[in-house]
Amino acid sequence: TLKQNPDCIDAMVVLGRAYERLNDIPSAKKVYERAVAVPNCQNVSAFFYLGVLLDKCKEFDRAISMLKQCLAIDTENFGACIHLATLLANTGENKKAAKYFKHALRLNPKSVPANFGMGKILHAITGVNSGGSNVSQLAASIQYFKTVLELDPNYYKAHC
């Protein structure tokens, strides 16, 4: 417990999750920040949950930083990778987002959100208004969307 060991990161993460379930976002944020501030913190969950919470709080730069920290510790953390890719896409960082969507697809090629995200990013990078100058990227974008339809034909209804 935290009374016995005030630097117990695992206990802080559990406490932060509990605060989130109670919708006490300020307390959750405070305890996650305390967890990642513990010297030499290597707790993937602490960085991940803080990153996701900061995203919800619209603190995008800090959220990106926390999710990158999470991936620095665990390069195969699919949740952090897809969340970071989506966050970067939502903030207009399309080329950076593409890097993380590609990584997410290496980790899970059948991920519907990763295929959909990669398709959207390639479509955005190609630029519909740019005269379709990069036909190969546009073709790749279409292929990602086809994969989404094959994996989950109803995905578009919920996400478009």
Side-chain angles (χ1 to χ4, degrees):
T1 66
L2 286 172
K3 285 185 181 181
Q4 295 162 334
N5 182 357
D7 286 342
C8 182
I9 297 169
D10 290 334
M12 288 183 230
V13 170
V14 170
L15 181 59
R17 299 294 292 150
Y19 281 134
E20 281 192 79
R21 282 190 291 280
L22 294 171
N23 206 29
D24 185 350
I25 302 307
S27 295
K29 184 177 167 188
K30 183 177 177 182
V31 76
Y32 290 143
E33 288 174 335
R34 183 174 154 206
V36 300
V38 171
N40 302 312
C41 177
Q42 294 292 303
N43 188 295
V44 171
S45 295
F47 287 105
F48 176 76
Y49 289 124
L50 179 56
V52 171
L53 187 68
L54 291 169
D55 180 18
K56 289 177 187 174
C57 294
K58 302 192 182 323
E59 294 183 43
F60 303 126
D61 290 340
R62 290 187 62 217
I64 290 167
S65 176
M66 291 300 114
L67 292 167
K68 284 182 176 181
Q69 280 281 84
C70 180
L71 286 168
I73 298 165
D74 178 6
T75 59
E76 296 193 9
N77 187 304
F78 179 80
C81 192
I82 192 72
H83 200 94
L84 178 57
T86 303
L87 176 56
L88 288 165
N90 290 342
T91 57
E93 297 283 345
N94 291 338
K95 290 186 180 182
K96 291 178 184 176
K99 172 186 167 186
Y100 289 101
F101 278 124
K102 285 178 188 175
H103 185 64
L105 286 165
R106 280 192 295 276
L107 297 173
N108 182 358
K110 293 189 183 226
S111 165
V112 173
N115 277 285
F116 184 73
M118 193 65 198
K120 281 180 61 175
I121 287 299
L122 286 177
H123 189 262
I125 290 172
T126 302
V128 177
N129 297 327
S130 70
S133 59
N134 195 335
V135 175
S136 64
Q137 277 190 322
L138 192 55
S141 173
I142 291 168
Q143 188 55 51
Y144 284 109
F145 290 137
K146 284 182 178 180
T147 300
V148 170
L149 283 172
E150 291 168 9
L151 294 169
D152 183 355
N154 295 312
Y155 189 80
Y156 289 102
K157 291 177 186 173
H159 296 88
C160 290

